[in-house]
Amino acid sequence: MKFFVLPLLAAAVCAVPLDGDIPGIVTPAQWVGQAFLEGPGIQLNGTVQEVYAQFKELNPNYDYDLSIDAVETESALSKRTDFGSARTICNNFPSIGVGHLDDGIQYLRRIGGRPQLRPPSFGSGYVRRHCSGVSCSYSTAIWWCNDSKQTKTSNSFGSIAEGARRTWGVCAGRIDQSLSPGQVSGQAFHPTDWNVIVRKGSC
């Protein structure tokens, strides 16, 4: 299969969230997917909302051709990553209401392709991970960070969504973590050296 790299199109919905307290180097997320059912693989950069807008500009019938509104297939569900026992930290970033978090999770679960993220940068006495804002809308952001020494390629965007869902389930409304009912922020660490952050975003 051939792959093409396209620049971010002007029709993007929102900018990559530039949140200054993200613990690493902010890198645009790379997405490898298809705009047409039988089309070549295309590499796009940005949040899921931006990438969706780019796919729609390339193919106005994208929703129909790629079944964006369909329920996930058994194959797609099997590619999700299990966060059931993941270490999770709550309220370590500015919190948000849970109302719009599910929108970002559903976007990540339904859009096709595989996300890629560069490995951390190493210097004299320091290591800085690369993090990408993969979803941001209504000030609700989902970030993906690579803790490994190699480029990270996830099975599907649904895997990142599972990390956000784990943070939601563990942290939402945790009074003992100074989170009021309906509020959430946190970070879920997968044992294969990557993590997902849920937080208030600048978008």
Side-chain angles (χ1 to χ4, degrees):
M1 178 182 288
K2 294 182 178 179
F3 289 87
F4 299 89
V5 180
L6 298 182
L8 193 64
L9 300 179
V13 173
C14 60
V16 173
L18 300 177
D19 301 311
D21 54 350
I22 287 294
I25 301 171
V26 175
T27 303
Q30 295 181 339
W31 310 65
V32 178
Q34 294 173 286
F36 299 89
L37 188 59
E38 301 296 332
I42 299 172
Q43 181 177 297
L44 300 174
N45 298 327
T47 66
V48 63
Q49 290 85 7
E50 290 171 332
V51 168
Y52 175 68
Q54 292 176 75
F55 278 145
K56 287 281 288 184
E57 183 163 329
L58 291 167
N59 177 12
N61 294 320
Y62 175 76
D63 288 354
Y64 178 80
D65 292 346
L66 276 297
S67 300
I68 191 69
D69 292 321
V71 176
E72 283 184 296
T73 64
E74 183 176 345
S75 174
L77 286 168
S78 70
K79 292 181 180 180
R80 286 202 205 161
T81 301
D82 182 14
F83 269 84
S85 60
R87 181 171 68 93
T88 306
I89 301 173
C90 300
N91 202 22
N92 54 336
F93 295 98
S95 63
I96 45 91
V98 299
H100 294 290
L101 180 56
D102 192 56
D103 294 340
I105 289 173
Q106 294 306 320
Y107 256 117
L108 289 168
R109 284 179 172 173
R110 291 175 175 173
I111 197 165
R114 302 183 70 188
Q116 296 178 342
L117 191 57
R118 289 160 51 185
S121 297
F122 296 86
S124 178
Y126 72 87
V127 178
R128 296 192 67 191
R129 65 170 62 88
H130 282 269
C131 295
S132 290
V134 294
S135 176
C136 196
S137 61
Y138 299 99
S139 299
T140 301
I142 300 172
W143 285 79
W144 178 39
C145 296
N146 185 3
D147 300 318
S148 73
K149 296 180 179 180
Q150 292 83 34
T151 295
K152 181 67 67 176
T153 302
S154 184
N155 290 332
S156 72
F157 299 112
S159 295
I160 301 174
E162 288 305 294
R165 177 68 70 177
R166 165 73 177 181
T167 304
W168 184 354
V170 171
C171 298
R174 285 280 298 273
I175 297 175
D176 63 319
Q177 297 292 325
S178 300
L179 288 165
S180 59
Q183 294 291 308
V184 64
S185 79
Q187 190 170 10
F189 295 84
H190 195 267
T192 58
D193 298 325
W194 56 281
N195 70 81
V196 177
I197 297 170
V198 171
R199 56 159 299 151
K200 183 177 182 180
S202 302
C203 56

